[in-house]
Amino acid sequence: MTVTTLSGWGRAGSSAAQVVAVPPGSPPRLVDHPRGTLARGMARSYGDAARNAGGVVLDMTGRARLHSFDDTLGHLRVDAGATLDEVLRAVVPHGWFLPVTPGTSMITVGGAIAADVHGKNHVAAGSFRGHVRGFSLLLADGSTRWVTPDDREVFAATLGGMGLTGIVLDAEIALRRITTTWLRATTRTTDDLDATLSALDTSRAEYRIATLDLMRTDRRLGRAIVETAEHADESPDAERPLAYDPAPHLTVPAGMPGGLLNRVSARAVTRLWFARAPRRPRQDLVDMAGFFYPLDAIADWNRLYGPRGFVQYQFAVPVGQEETVRRVAERFATARCPTFVVVLKRLGPGGGMLSFPIDGWTMAVDIPAGVAELSSLLDGCDELVCRAGGRVYLAKDGRLRAERVPVMYSELDRWQQTRDRLDPHGRWRSDLGRRLGLCRS
């Protein structure tokens, strides 16, 4: 075992743990440790979900074998350490795609299950849980259990359970058919938050997302570039309609200085972004990787925020609580907070005990970690979200207070009871779990 300092994707905090690389084809060797054990994949959770201070962390990325692929039904069985990128490179040339994918392909299948990830099509397709046919779960006693949706309690506790019910070893996923790697996308701009919410809510496209401008405090607060899309049957490359080989175009070097991303640069980037956006709705054929994973084109883009890193604040509120979305947006704008990536999406009905999505709206905001009074700003946003019956996304969190969790997640008690049955001695632990009271300290 090697003691290594680990951070999340936001790089705003770190802790040291004994890291064990799990070799290909072998199950993890469990070691009793007073600080517990946690599985870790690509560490794309933004805060402390993939850290276990003073304990053991199992690096699962070496376990990345594709076990079987039914090209007729689109059923794939794959190790939990495989990334979505590796999955897509294997199945897209055969005319299959992930039915649900987050904004990066650089997460593992196990991570997708632990966070129950969602995408730009949650209203149409739900979250990742709806497309998992089963998974092998390594339990605290060393036994392995094949879990399907019929195993309701364990399935619902693990999907979104942040790795605290056991270690997912492999999973079977149901894929969706595609005929090309292109989408027919429509891009338009909106003038304010009301128009943005309406554009997302009334669209019938499968994929919908808005990039917001929170750098102004006037009546145009919440203006946005709205993108909607459907899978296309046509391709600019008629001979290779299913070609898929994305690669980063740029790499951010290590040692980037802090302070480059500030209010001045944020305003400049926002102005440039909107200046290039179409005034009227425009239709284009866009490639799949560029639409779903735009930031994957920049390797190590999180380094842009400098050594102090950044915080992503993502919350969801139910339908009917649009005023809360507005009030949170106003807080960021009036705080003169430099916001570089702000996305708004419409969500459909959720599921799972600690799964994030609810029928409503979600907004995600990236903020440099060194912003003055950031803790006070986000605590105030938490209060608004709680009053609205909403919640913060645990996969993005690194600073939520423990007392907020039972308010935000009404099935917390049920999840804890299921976790205690699966792990009565508290083997599975994480920094996030300790901070939020989800596991033993």
Side-chain angles (χ1 to χ4, degrees), residues 268-302:
V269 168
T270 300
R271 284 176 177 169
L272 178 62
W273 184 255
F274 276 83
R276 297 179 60 186
R279 299 287 182 180
R280 297 180 179 179
R282 184 186 70 201
Q283 278 202 347
D284 300 284
L285 270 182
V286 298
D287 73 279
M288 201 160 63
F291 180 80
F292 290 112
Y293 314 119
L295 288 177
D296 284 359
I298 307 173
D300 299 314
W301 64 263
N302 58 338

Side-chain angles (χ1 to χ4, degrees), residues 341-390:
V341 180
V342 184
V343 297
L344 180 68
K345 291 181 288 191
R346 179 72 164 85
L347 298 176
M353 300 175 188
L354 293 187
S355 294
F356 170 70
I358 53 178
D359 190 7
W361 303 95
T362 180
M363 181 190 293
V365 186
D366 286 2
I367 319 113
V371 169
E373 304 298 328
L374 181 58
S375 294
S376 176
L377 171 64
L378 297 185
D379 285 346
C381 292
D382 289 344
E383 179 65 27
L384 292 175
V385 170
C386 280
R387 289 178 185 173

Side-chain angles (χ1 to χ4, degrees), residues 127-195:
S127 59
F128 203 72
R129 61 178 282 110
H131 311 278
V132 176
R133 292 172 53 82
F135 55 86
S136 298
L137 186 67
L138 179 64
L139 301 175
D141 63 4
S143 64
T144 301
R145 178 170 178 170
W146 180 251
V147 181
T148 71
D150 291 335
D151 194 350
R152 294 183 180 179
E153 292 295 301
V154 179
F155 191 88
T158 303
L159 270 293
M162 304 310 297
L164 296 175
T165 62
I167 297 176
V168 177
L169 300 177
D170 58 72
E172 184 174 314
I173 306 166
L175 304 171
R176 63 168 295 166
R177 274 285 187 193
I178 55 171
T179 54
T180 76
T181 55
W182 295 81
L183 294 101
R184 176 65 66 182
T186 300
T187 305
R188 57 174 293 191
T189 56
T190 56
D191 288 334
D192 55 32
L193 186 59
D194 286 339

Side-chain angles (χ1 to χ4, degrees), residues 389-401:
R391 55 186 53 167
V392 166
Y393 194 8
L394 300 185
K396 304 292 183 70
D397 178 58
R399 34 69 51 195
L400 184 67
R401 296 181 183 179

